[in-house]
Amino acid sequence: MTAIIARVQRHLEGDAQDFADLPYAFATVGDFAAQVYRATLTVKPGRTCSYGDIARQLGQPPAVSRAIGTALGANPWPLLVPCHRIVAGDGKMTGFSGPGGIRTKLRLLAIEGAQLFVE
């Protein structure tokens, strides 16, 4: 556990970490949520993708995007399973269930060096 905490601290200090290697207890969440979390783990620091991209990765139609958002809103491993890297299809920031909401999502993406564009 101490090693994970140290990695999180490094991540928040700007040394981007990839937490895909951690032993997640996917059996504690539903099958669909586990699929969503596994797909989300493929989005690396400094990158974003859309809910629709996750749907396509899972072989699902775009209409499943809302269910993907619901699963990510219930993510039991925020930051580690990087739900903050998932954005709307048009690049807009959408809800974020962590403390601070979208503001926190934007700060995490900035720490990771994600290219964010403002109209």
Side-chain angles (χ1 to χ4, degrees), residues 5-19 45-46 79 82 84-85 108-109 111-112:
I5 293 169
R7 285 175 66 185
V8 168
Q9 288 172 329
R10 285 196 314 268
H11 186 83
L12 294 175
E13 291 168 355
D15 179 13
Q17 303 290 305
D18 181 358
F19 300 105
L79 182 64
H84 60 280
R85 297 180 191 150
L108 290 170
L109 290 170
I111 287 169
E112 295 176 357

Side-chain angles (χ1 to χ4, degrees), residues 7-116:
R7 285 175 66 185
V8 168
Q9 288 172 329
R10 285 196 314 268
H11 186 83
L12 294 175
E13 291 168 355
D15 179 13
Q17 303 290 305
D18 181 358
F19 300 105
D21 62 317
L22 297 178
Y24 297 96
F26 289 123
T28 64
V29 299
D31 289 339
F32 179 75
Q35 290 176 22
V36 170
Y37 302 151
R38 283 186 180 100
T40 301
L41 284 165
T42 68
V43 184
K44 300 306 177 194
R47 308 291 236 169
T48 60
C49 78
S50 72
Y51 298 94
D53 292 334
I54 297 292
R56 278 188 292 284
Q57 190 174 343
L58 298 178
Q60 298 291 330
V64 175
S65 295
R66 187 173 300 272
I68 290 167
T70 299
L72 291 174
N75 177 6
W77 306 287
L79 182 64
L80 303 178
V81 173
C83 53
H84 60 280
R85 297 180 191 150
I86 313 305
V87 299
D90 60 4
K92 290 184 181 176
M93 296 300 123
T94 54
F96 183 65
S97 60
I102 292 174
R103 184 174 175 185
T104 299
K105 182 174 190 163
L106 287 167
R107 290 182 76 195
L108 290 170
L109 290 170
I111 287 169
E112 295 176 357
Q115 293 290 336
L116 304 175

